[in-house]
């Protein structure tokens, strides 16, 4: 088990004065604007002054960590805990091996998780806003001004904790194996970033604010920041002389994008009674032109696709929309249509998609509570193909959920589900409770051949040579392998091409 270090890691008396006004011993430096850089550098160890003690620097930073009020979650992650262990070892330990080992664990954790620097990691956690009360209040639209002073104090304390790896490594050397840990070790221990330092253009500030426009006019959360957007916000906030100077900008970020998993991800997964970062959306992750099954399905079911997309967009805008059920014979078309509609609304309007396996519907009450906790987010809950047995638990759970007998569907959530056609009372009840029912009928011979040509083109590109299947061969394959309903399908066309490739 991992032991979490308490934030109150030292008993030193807390100074009521911020670092920029704290008196620092130097060689009679005049305390003017021109020397503030020297003061701050001396305070965090960038100095050759012998009277600045490494242990004292580490103790001061531990004291800063213990005074955090709102941003405590930033320092409770495994990476942050390893950083605090380094400071604790530097300030207290007399065992050289423990000091060096503490830094090794911190460095290994940072490198293993791909973080470019401690400062970059720290600012990324701040921008993400996980479990930060100010971020939660701003996302919900709750009162927050009373939290602003505490947030500003925290940001300045976290800025002081943003010690460069080179400084931290030199402290470790001085407090452990001073003679052994020379130039090569210091250089290696100070380098985490691969290649050149990450840079953002001079117009980064304009970019982050011009792109932070919610499609709904700010009523609901904007689409999540991508990696480039997060990097721009880290650069913007980390470039402030004092991080607290960016408090208004940070609050704007929380209000626009939200916080935590919901703020950072368009696709989420409900599993084990909690939300997690979403996995791949299978066939719908790529653009239609990049995935033949996706492209074929949208071409042969244009009306169904248009209805599902329009309904999802209405929900994303806060307009009345209906829960939807797509049903039909076996094959991937049902899920493709659902995923396509969900992702279309997610990319264009900021809808959050929650993948909910049928086996997880039993914890619907918990999921509903989580979704209500984010009232400015618009959710679409996707339920994959339900079972076919009479009285199937997933069917029953979804029907009961839509009926509101246990826990009604939150107003900010919409249900999209897929089901195989069955003549059961459970399915009939489910259809009654869905406002939008989409029946996928079997394809005509012409549509079947259109799908076949799409798969042939895709396979030809992959093989680097033309694959030829005549209409007669395709129809003959279908006649032999057609499904029990006697209808052509997208899946049948895909199987025909796959079989032909194997025999050529």
């Amino acid at each position: 088990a991992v032991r979490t270090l308490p934030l109150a890691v030292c008993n030193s008396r807390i100074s009521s004065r911020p670092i920029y006004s704290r008196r620092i011993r130097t060689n009679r430096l005049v305390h003017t604007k021109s020397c503030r850089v020297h003061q701050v550098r001396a305070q965090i160890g960038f100095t050759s002054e012998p009277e600045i003690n490494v242990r004292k620097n580490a103790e001061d930073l531990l004291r800063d960590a213990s005074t955090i009020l709102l941003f405590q979650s930033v320092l409770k992650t495994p990476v942050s805990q390893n950083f605090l262990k380094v400071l604790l070892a530097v300030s207290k330990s007399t065992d050289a091996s423990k000091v060096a080992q503490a830094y090794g664990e911190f460095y290994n954790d940072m490198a293993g998780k791909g973080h470019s620097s401690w400062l970059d990691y720290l600012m990324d956690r701040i921008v993400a806003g996980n479990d930060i009360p100010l971020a939660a209040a701003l996302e919900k639209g709750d009162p927050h001004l009373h939290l602003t002073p505490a947030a500003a104090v925290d940001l300045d304390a976290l800025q002081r904790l943003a010690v460069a790896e080179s400084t931290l490594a030199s402290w470790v050397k001085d407090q452990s194996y001073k003679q052994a840990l020379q130039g090569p070790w210091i250089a290696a221990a100070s380098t985490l970033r691969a290649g050149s330092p990450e840079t953002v253009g001079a117009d980064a500030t304009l970019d982050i604010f011009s792109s932070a426009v919610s499609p709904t006019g700010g009523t609901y959360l904007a689409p999540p920041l991508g990696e480039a957007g997060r990097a721009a916000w880290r650069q913007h906030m980390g470039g402030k002389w004092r991080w607290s100077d960016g408090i208004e900008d940070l609050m704007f970020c929380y209000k626009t994008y939200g916080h935590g998993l919901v703020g950072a991800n368009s696709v989420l997964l409900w599993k084990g009674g909690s939300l997690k970062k979403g996995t791949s959306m299978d066939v719908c992750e790529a653009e239609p032109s990049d995935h033949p099954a996706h492209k074929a399905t949208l071409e042969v079911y244009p009306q169904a696709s248009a209805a599902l997309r329009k309904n999802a967009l209405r929900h994303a805008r806060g307009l009345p929309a209906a829960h939807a059920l797509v049903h039909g014979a076996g094959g991937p078309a049902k899920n493709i249509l659902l995923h396509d509609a969900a992702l279309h609304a997610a990319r264009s309007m900021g809808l959050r998609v929650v993948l909910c396996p049928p086996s997880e519907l039993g914890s619907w009450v918990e999921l509903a509570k989580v979704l209500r906790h984010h009232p400015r987010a618009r959710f679409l809950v996707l339920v994959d193909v339900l079972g076919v047995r009479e009285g199937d638990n997933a069917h029953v759970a979804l029907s009961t959920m839509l009926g509101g007998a246990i826990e009604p569907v939150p107003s900010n959530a919409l249900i999209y589900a897929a089901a195989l056609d069955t003549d059961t009372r459970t399915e009939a009840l489910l259809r009654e409770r869905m406002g939008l029912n989409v029946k996928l009928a079997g394809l005509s011979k012409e549509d079947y051949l259109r799908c076949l040509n799409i798969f042939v083109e895709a396979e030809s590109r992959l093989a680097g040579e033309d694959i030829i299947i005549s209409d007669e061969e395709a129809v003959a394959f279908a006649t032999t392998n057609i499904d029990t309903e006697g209808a052509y399908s997208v899946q049948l066309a895909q199987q025909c091409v796959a079989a032909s490739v194997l025999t050529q």
Side-chain angles (χ1 to χ4, degrees), residues 4-38:
T4 301
L5 285 177
L7 290 179
V9 289
C10 67
N11 296 320
S12 302
R13 185 173 65 87
I14 300 171
S15 172
S16 61
R17 292 177 294 177
I19 185 172
Y20 53 86
S21 65
R22 187 180 298 156
R23 186 176 299 277
I24 301 173
R25 292 184 182 178
T26 64
N27 289 333
R28 295 187 178 180
L29 280 176
V30 180
H31 296 279
T32 63
K33 279 188 177 180
S34 63
C35 70
R36 285 197 297 173
V37 173
H38 300 290

Side-chain angles (χ1 to χ4, degrees), residues 131-169:
D131 298 322
I132 295 174
L134 176 66
L138 284 159
E139 182 193 304
K140 292 180 182 179
D142 290 346
H144 62 273
L145 292 179
H146 62 291
L147 301 175
T148 306
V153 171
D154 280 0
L155 287 174
D156 286 338
L158 290 169
Q159 184 178 13
R160 293 191 290 273
L161 284 163
V163 181
E165 284 77 13
S166 56
T167 300
L168 199 59

Side-chain angles (χ1 to χ4, degrees), residues 96-135:
S97 64
K98 289 184 178 180
V99 177
Q101 184 179 6
Y103 187 79
E105 291 175 356
F106 166 70
Y107 185 94
N108 183 71
D109 198 12
M110 288 280 289
K113 294 176 180 175
H115 303 306
S116 58
S117 70
W118 165 240
L119 184 151
D120 206 50
Y121 172 81
L122 201 59
M123 184 51 69
D124 190 65
R125 293 298 85 209
I126 292 171
V127 171
N130 293 39
D131 298 322
I132 295 174
L134 176 66

Side-chain angles (χ1 to χ4, degrees), residues 42 45 58 67 97 109 129-130 176 217 302 307 354 363 405 421 428 433-434 466 472:
T67 65
S97 64
D109 198 12
N130 293 39
S176 59
V354 180
S363 58
D421 270 336
R433 291 179 173 175
M434 288 289 197
D466 289 339
E472 291 75 14

Side-chain angles (χ1 to χ4, degrees), residues 20 27 43 177 225 295 341 415 460:
Y20 53 86
N27 289 333
Q43 183 65 21
Y177 304 110
L225 286 166
K295 182 178 180 181
I415 309 297
S460 296

